[in-house]
Amino acid sequence: MTTARVTIKDVAARAGVSKGAVSLAFNHKPGLSEATRDRIFDAARELGWAPNLTARSLSSRRVDVVGLAICRPAELLGLEPFYMEFISGVEGVLTEHSCSLLLRLVRNLEEEVRLQDAWWKGRQIGGSIMVDFRADDPRVAAVERLGMPAVAVGHPSLTGGLTTVWTDDATAVTEAVRYLGALGHRRIARVGGAAALGHTTIRAAAFDEAARALDLDGAWQVATDYSGEAGARATRSLLAAAPADRPTAIVYDNDIMAVAGLSVASEMGLSVPGDVSLLAWDDSQLCRLTHPTLSAMSHDVHGFGADVARTLFGVITGEGPGSHLASTPVLTPRGSTAPPRV
């Protein structure tokens, strides 16, 4: 059977469903289980079939839907201010273009590769925003092979030839460590995110380099999953040591973990910032609602999301700014940092 002669009926037969079910899947309509939807996309991919364009024309560069897949548990994503602000920024630009966001949570990168393939071949999206890059990320080659317009959110060292928008995490980490060192802290810890993520690796390397440059008496790093629970466990472990052996300052990779760390310090009878200074990444309203308020590495996350969305439209039209550094998070000192007690 040649690709030119494959029909929706053939796809339905291969997947063991009706033609109506195939139509529902490729028009992203409700009424199908995820397993059935995936089976239909697999069948279409095996047969080399994609539906004819009807409601829009890619040749005219009109875009009605942009895709965003995130490999995070739903319960964690709903609590993380960063992604809520980022998506809000993306949505603001999409609204200007009368465009919608198709958001999916995936379990792993392999699932996302299959999803991006189905989205693009099924003409469900006009382009994709991609986040949380790893070293040797398989999505880079997959997207380049598809020829799908995409913008990668991550350092260029992780994103191959994709158009990339990123923040200068290494400089921000260095600034945080130097600031704490200037206050007089000689034992500093970092509670980081998932070790497999590329930006975690970049931050970890910058922390180590800054700690060596300051010749600190102690420098610790703990990898977590970004959750408050993991941040609390890491904080408890770091502060359980004897006073002379524990950190006097801790830098967290997000605000949720920093808030959890503040609670743990209080639970252990320690004063913030008297006994331990705390510094959060991704400043949010959470950091300003705690007592004391949390010092943070701040940047405009909403504006960052908007920048990424505008860059994607530029990729699609060929008129955009291309890869660029969006911002460097800036230190915002508040009540949770101070010189250590002598």
Side-chain angles (χ1 to χ4, degrees), residues 17 45 56 62 75 166 180 226 246 294 320 331:
V17 298
R45 185 166 52 251
R56 60 187 173 88
R62 181 183 173 195
E75 60 273 16
W166 72 98
L180 293 170
Y226 285 112
R246 69 189 180 212
L294 283 167
L331 180 67

Side-chain angles (χ1 to χ4, degrees), residues 174-256:
T174 301
E175 181 186 359
V177 175
R178 287 176 177 171
Y179 163 72
L180 293 170
L183 289 178
H185 293 279
R186 302 295 303 159
R187 301 190 302 277
I188 303 173
R190 171 178 165 266
V191 176
L197 294 176
H199 63 262
T200 298
T201 302
I202 290 170
R203 294 180 188 183
F207 180 89
D208 281 340
E209 184 175 346
R212 283 195 299 270
L214 292 176
D215 193 23
L216 296 178
D217 297 333
W220 300 262
Q221 296 201 67
V222 183
T224 71
D225 63 2
Y226 285 112
S227 69
E229 292 80 3
R233 284 195 299 271
T235 304
R236 193 170 288 110
S237 174
L238 289 166
L239 298 181
D245 298 322
R246 69 189 180 212
T248 60
I250 305 175
V251 180
Y252 295 86
D253 261 21
N254 72 2
D255 42 8
I256 293 176

Side-chain angles (χ1 to χ4, degrees), residues 3 41 71 87 139 177 205 239 255 257 288 325 335:
T3 301
F41 289 145
C71 188
I87 291 171
R139 295 173 295 174
V177 175
L239 298 181
D255 42 8
M257 294 194 296
R288 295 182 286 276
L325 172 65

